[in-house]
Amino acid sequence: MYGGWSDFLSDDTRRGELALRFEVAGPGLRQECSIGTDSDPVHLVLQDTRATSVVSEDPMVVSFAVEDSEFAVPAATRCGVLGPLLNGMLGLGGGGTGSISLDAQVALRPYGTES
């Protein structure tokens, strides 16, 4: 889930940055249970793993893949009595790092032109 911040200005070292929070659901967990919060989200610095390719020219759709293999993994919060068990089983909040890979397709539309 969107964590309140994104920056997709790419340069030689990154595709962009993204703040997320991951909702965790299951029996015995509170509805508010998440990894990362709105005030302290998971911060990803995305690296290209697949070059951008054009899927369609009209409408313009591009595809690419990114990953972050070194982001800090916070503990799950607001999970109720099972929170400590969840953190222990998944190794959350202990100063370790996580890894995530994302595939994206993005539709682009010019603004200020008639369609």
Side-chain angles (χ1 to χ4, degrees):
M1 177 162 257
Y2 180 66
W5 186 81
S6 64
D7 170 10
F8 287 103
L9 179 62
S10 299
D11 60 28
D12 292 341
T13 62
R14 66 187 182 101
R15 165 67 76 153
E17 298 183 30
L18 186 61
L20 297 174
R21 65 182 174 85
F22 299 92
E23 293 181 351
V24 182
L29 296 175
R30 292 178 51 199
Q31 186 175 358
E32 303 83 15
C33 183
S34 69
I35 301 169
T37 63
D38 288 339
S39 61
D40 188 21
V42 175
H43 183 131
L44 304 177
V45 178
L46 303 170
Q47 311 294 323
D48 281 316
T49 58
R50 182 171 38 85
T52 301
S53 62
V54 176
V55 175
S56 169
E57 291 189 18
D58 189 20
M60 177 60 75
V61 177
V62 297
S63 175
F64 59 92
V66 293
E67 75 175 359
D68 184 344
S69 59
E70 301 178 350
F71 65 90
V73 181
T77 58
R78 300 174 296 187
C79 299
V81 296
L82 294 180
L85 180 63
L86 178 68
N87 288 328
M89 288 180 63
L90 298 178
L92 302 175
T97 58
S99 180
I100 189 169
S101 298
L102 305 169
D103 290 316
Q105 286 194 348
V106 180
L108 306 172
R109 185 183 80 179
Y111 289 90
T113 61
E114 293 182 30
S115 22

